[in-house]
Amino acid sequence: MSDQSSQALNHSKSRRKTIRKYSQVIGTKNDGVVFNYQTVEVHGIKIKSAIKLEDILSNKGVAWIFSALIIIYTILVIIRISFETETQIYARQLDILELAFLSVFVVEVLLRFLVYHLVYFKSLWNIFDLIIIAVCLIVIIGSLANSSITNNQAFKLGKVLRIFRLFLMFRKINTFTKYKNKISRKRSSVVNLSSPSEKVIEILTRLSEMEWISYHTALKSEIEWCISMIKEQKIYQTNVRADKEEFRDFVNWAVNAQSEEVEVLTPSKTDAYVKIISLESYGLEIESLLGDLHKWEFDIFRFDKVSDCRSLEVICSHLFSLYNLYQSQLFDNYKFLNFIQAIQNGYHKDNLYHNSIHAADVVQSIYYFLSTCQAIEICQLTDSDIAVCLISAAIHDYDHPGLNNIFLINTTHSLALTYNDKSVLENHHLASSFKLLSEDKHNFLINMQKDDKKKLRYKIISLVLSTDFARHFADMGKFQLKFSNNGVKDDDDCLQVMEMMIHTSDVGNPSRPWKLCYEWAHKVMNEFFAQGDKERDMGLSISNLCDRYSVSIPKAQIGFTELFIEPTFNVLELVLPSVKENLKYIIENKKNWKDMIENNKSN
Ligand SMILES: [Zn+2]
């Protein structure tokens, strides 16, 4: 196990321990000493509610009263020390006054002990506090009982300890500092830039400053860790454990990038042309295949052959018509066909994997989620949302050069320079597609209202950017956090589900029936190997999973499926319960890959 993994594991163990401790602390709090009962009226019903002693002690007003008493007592001590001779005639009265103060402090300590039990003495300050109070009490009581004691060593010691009593001020100074910080936070700007995370930080800070928390150092440090995670915006940073070699390669492949400088490559361009689709020209089989379009078993390779390698435009055109999007007045029928044909032509035919069949496959997959898995009903998607899903899937790898982001960044490719190494390909697919859309013959959004067009564009950009694999773990974490206990509530939730649907469609090949899974696996791995060959020829270090001489396709597929695909379907299932059906293929395919490994060993 790597250092990072063991750290993550230890950290999660300590967190579990702390959560247990926290529950115990909360338990103590809930079972705390009931001081009195008050009657509260809620909607006309009188409820007797317990006022807990801890609530009183941690009350801001009570804390201020004790602070004020300490200040007065400190002033009294200073006066007595500074004007010892002058105050001598009132010594007895001042002793009684001091005794009164000390009695209040004793009561305070006793009450806190009653609430926190022995935990109260975990704080060195509290022990110190108690010792000083006890010694001062002994000295004052002794002084009152016998005036002769004032001349002996005990009196001198008592005087010294009364000076030590001033140290209590430091503890109470915290209260003033916190108050001062709050005021300065409030006054720091004339513009209010508050966000929910700021509010969360404020609540956690208040919690960490509570007295009972200071007795639980582990819990306090956990809360401080939470605050720092939010402040540093690392809340969705996922710790990934990669024990197996294949897993490590995939994690590196997904998130890493090295930098080396080589020659710049330029992707080729293809021209669009205008042609209206007529299904009749493809024969009867295409109609029967389209009848299975909603099934996960849909054979995209067969469909592409039957449609003369135009599966992307035929499927998109068919689905736009199926959802009545042409009739919705949102889109110009003729221009949409021009656009989708240009998109189809912009995919590189010589790419083994990132070609128009992959794009058509992603469109079909997202249609499966929309229809068979009832995403439309569950998320109450509008016509415009359906169009966003289909268009995004169609363009999501447009003009893909068959090389991944890591290669483009490492070779300072012109695209990496254009997009500053950030989601290079995804930005390129989007920008090139929207450029195409801006041409009059492709502008199928021409009749749409400006605001609607803006929203549509915003959503398409969100969906295509979410296909950047580097975002996988963070997006999974956010999705799981949001939908573990909640359904889809608003537009933001809908968009998040749409993003997860396109991402799952993009990487979901290992969950297809074995024949399709096997074919896709060889296509994607051979495209990786082609990149590896290029890297070898260029004298570069070969990227993870790209070396045809060391990577085993079955092993890599098992690693990819276990690390990415199974968790992705499990997460999507939170919103679309019927995707659990796909797990049967995942299990079956993993078994087939394992059998292949075993057979290779025995041969
Ligand atoms: Zn893709």
Side-chain angles (χ1 to χ4, degrees):
M1 192 190 297
S2 70
D3 279 359
Q4 215 182 343
S5 318
S6 63
Q7 264 176 21
L9 195 66
N10 288 339
H11 189 69
S12 84
K13 272 185 192 164
S14 100
R15 276 172 68 184
R16 275 201 297 276
K17 230 190 261 173
T18 312
I19 287 164
R20 260 204 309 279
K21 275 189 190 168
Y22 181 72
S23 318
Q24 285 163 5
V25 171
I26 295 293
T28 313
K29 187 174 153 70
N30 288 341
D31 302 329
V33 182
V34 176
F35 181 68
N36 202 348
Y37 289 91
Q38 63 178 356
T39 307
V40 185
E41 203 170 307
V42 183
H43 299 300
I45 303 162
K46 284 186 178 171
I47 298 167
K48 208 176 188 187
S49 99
I51 305 169
K52 288 185 187 129
L53 187 54
E54 189 189 357
D55 297 338
I56 295 172
L57 287 173
S58 48
N59 180 283
K60 219 186 267 177
V62 174
W64 278 95
I65 290 171
F66 281 119
S67 302
L69 287 176
I70 285 177
I71 293 168
I72 298 167
Y73 179 73
T74 310
I75 294 168
L76 179 66
V77 171
I78 292 170
I79 292 170
R80 289 197 75 180
I81 294 166
S82 312
F83 305 99
E84 197 182 344
T85 326
E86 292 85 343
T87 57
Q88 192 58 43
I89 47 167
Y90 303 110
R92 192 171 172 77
Q93 289 85 340
L94 290 172
D95 279 349
I96 292 169
L97 189 60
E98 263 199 62
L99 186 64
F101 273 102
L102 290 169
S103 306
V104 173
F105 298 145
V106 168
V107 171
E108 183 201 353
V109 170
L110 283 175
L111 292 177
R112 289 190 190 280
F113 178 70
L114 210 59
V115 171
Y116 302 114
H117 308 286
L118 287 175
V119 182
Y120 181 70
F121 296 111
K122 273 190 178 177
S123 159
L124 287 176
W125 268 115
N126 291 344
I127 297 170
F128 181 67
D129 186 34
L130 186 71
I131 292 170
I132 301 287
I133 294 172
V135 174
C136 286
L137 263 177
I138 293 166
V139 172
I140 295 295
I141 292 168
S143 163
L144 282 168
N146 182 2
S147 56
S148 66
I149 205 168
T150 53
N151 294 325
N152 65 21
Q153 292 293 321
F155 177 74
K156 283 175 189 160
L157 182 67
K159 261 187 3 184
V160 174
L161 288 172
R162 272 207 291 272
I163 295 168
F164 277 137
R165 190 78 177 97
L166 299 175
F167 280 105
L168 289 180
M169 281 295 288
F170 290 113
R171 188 161 57 107
K172 299 295 173 186
I173 277 169
N174 274 341
T175 317
F176 298 106
T177 321
K178 282 174 206 164
Y179 180 68
K180 212 177 125 197
N181 286 345
K182 262 183 209 164
I183 290 174
S184 66
R185 274 205 295 270
K186 276 182 189 166
R187 288 179 183 167
S188 61
S189 171
V190 284
V191 183
N192 188 357
L193 295 174
S194 66
S195 66
S197 59
E198 205 180 320
K199 183 80 187 159
V200 173
I201 290 172
E202 202 182 310
I203 292 167
L204 288 174
T205 308
R206 274 213 308 270
L207 185 65
S208 74
E209 285 169 355
M210 286 174 83
E211 189 176 346
W212 64 273
I213 293 275
S214 65
Y215 307 135
H216 301 274
T217 44
L219 177 61
K220 192 175 163 70
S221 66
E222 286 289 332
I223 294 172
E224 282 163 358
W225 176 81
C226 294
I227 294 170
S228 73
M229 283 296 107
I230 299 170
K231 277 187 180 167
E232 290 163 29
Q233 299 182 5
K234 288 182 179 169
I235 196 95
Y236 295 115
Q237 192 172 295
T238 320
N239 287 322
V240 185
R241 284 184 55 196
D243 297 349
K244 292 186 189 172
E245 189 63 37
E246 298 86 19
F247 282 29
R248 256 202 296 278
D249 281 355
F250 268 109
V251 173
N252 291 337
W253 164 78
V255 295
N256 276 358
Q258 300 160 350
S259 89
E260 282 175 51
E261 224 172 88
V262 286
E263 188 191 337
V264 174
L265 301 170
T266 318
S268 65
K269 291 259 188 288
T270 45
D271 289 323
Y273 67 96
V274 181
K275 181 186 162 202
I276 297 295
I277 295 168
S278 157
L279 290 181
E280 285 160 18
S281 61
Y282 296 113
L284 281 175
E285 192 183 355
I286 206 156
E287 300 248 17
S288 111
L289 286 174
L290 280 173
D292 290 338
L293 199 62
H294 63 287
K295 294 179 183 167
W296 198 241
E297 294 76 14
F298 182 80
D299 187 345
I300 190 70
F301 298 112
R302 175 77 199 140
F303 189 86
D304 197 62
K305 274 198 188 87
V306 174
S307 63
D308 290 339
C309 306
R310 315 234 32 111
S311 51
L312 180 61
E313 59 179 274
V314 175
I315 289 176
C316 286
S317 158
H318 172 75
L319 290 177
F320 258 62
S321 148
L322 193 78
Y323 284 116
N324 285 323
L325 296 174
Y326 295 135
Q327 267 80 53
S328 67
Q329 307 295 320
L330 292 173
F331 310 106
D332 181 297
N333 179 358
Y334 187 78
K335 290 186 178 189
F336 175 73
L337 292 174
N338 284 347
F339 174 77
I340 203 67
Q341 283 161 4
I343 290 289
Q344 162 98 46
N345 293 335
Y347 277 93
H348 299 200
K349 288 188 179 70
D350 48 351
N351 284 351
L352 291 166
Y353 180 81
H354 287 101
N355 49 41
S356 62
I357 309 177
H358 166 63
D361 180 56
V362 175
V363 173
Q364 189 275 328
S365 171
I366 213 162
Y367 169 60
Y368 165 79
F369 293 133
L370 289 170
S371 59
T372 310
C373 300
Q374 297 178 306
I376 294 176
E377 292 79 9
I378 291 169
C379 303
Q380 300 195 335
L381 299 179
T382 61
D383 282 354
S384 173
D385 288 333
I386 295 168
V388 164
C389 290
L390 300 177
I391 296 164
S392 304
I395 67 166
H396 88 280
D397 275 332
Y398 175 69
D399 196 28
H400 196 296
L403 302 160
N404 64 19
N405 277 336
I406 297 168
F407 183 92
L408 300 180
I409 294 166
N410 287 349
T411 56
T412 50
H413 191 283
S414 59
L415 292 177
L417 292 174
T418 304
Y419 300 109
N420 303 312
D421 299 349
K422 298 268 187 324
S423 299
V424 177
L425 284 167
E426 294 70 24
N427 275 307
H428 172 63
H429 307 318
L430 278 164
S432 317
S433 302
F434 277 107
K435 205 172 161 196
L436 206 62
L437 184 69
S438 70
E439 292 166 17
D440 184 53
K441 62 179 175 180
H442 301 131
N443 190 2
F444 65 94
L445 304 178
I446 196 150
N447 300 326
M448 208 180 236
Q449 296 288 321
K450 207 175 167 187
D451 281 351
D452 293 341
K453 210 186 285 184
K454 224 171 156 181
K455 272 186 210 157
L456 188 99
R457 177 175 152 81
Y458 171 80
K459 289 182 180 179
I460 291 174
I461 290 172
S462 298
L463 259 67
V464 174
L465 287 181
S466 76
T467 62
D468 181 356
F469 214 99
R471 282 178 43 173
H472 174 82
F473 292 113
D475 285 356
M476 292 271 288
K478 284 182 201 172
F479 196 89
Q480 187 162 323
L481 187 72
K482 185 176 264 185
F483 298 111
S484 284
N485 299 310
N486 299 305
V488 179
K489 291 193 296 284
D490 52 28
D491 271 4
D492 285 346
D493 291 356
C494 273
L495 190 62
Q496 213 172 331
V497 176
M498 285 154 71
E499 285 177 6
M500 190 50 77
M501 287 197 300
I502 195 172
H503 174 55
T504 312
S505 301
D506 195 23
V507 297
N509 302 146
S511 68
R512 295 279 190 173
W514 173 245
K515 182 179 161 284
L516 300 170
C517 162
Y518 180 86
E519 195 158 347
W520 281 123
H522 282 81
K523 282 180 184 298
V524 73
M525 292 309 292
N526 281 317
E527 189 174 293
F528 283 1
F529 293 157
Q531 179 181 311
D533 294 344
K534 207 178 272 273
E535 287 167 332
R536 197 179 296 106
D537 291 347
M538 293 166 111
L540 300 170
S541 60
I542 299 173
S543 298
N544 292 300
L545 302 166
C546 291
D547 189 348
R548 66 172 73 246
Y549 302 112
S550 66
V551 175
S552 141
I553 294 180
K555 280 184 187 170
Q557 284 302 305
I558 293 169
F560 185 72
T561 306
E562 288 183 351
L563 190 61
F564 299 116
I565 305 307
E566 277 185 77
T568 306
F569 275 91
N570 287 334
V571 156
L572 188 60
E573 195 191 324
L574 293 170
V575 177
L576 307 179
S578 46
V579 300
K580 66 172 173 284
E581 290 293 314
N582 301 53
L583 287 170
K584 70 175 181 206
Y585 287 121
I586 293 177
I587 295 163
E588 209 175 290
N589 294 339
K590 258 170 42 180
K591 190 189 168 297
N592 288 335
W593 290 121
K594 278 176 188 162
D595 288 349
M596 280 179 79
I597 296 169
E598 290 305 312
N599 291 340
N600 281 347
K601 271 186 201 163
S602 54
N603 288 339

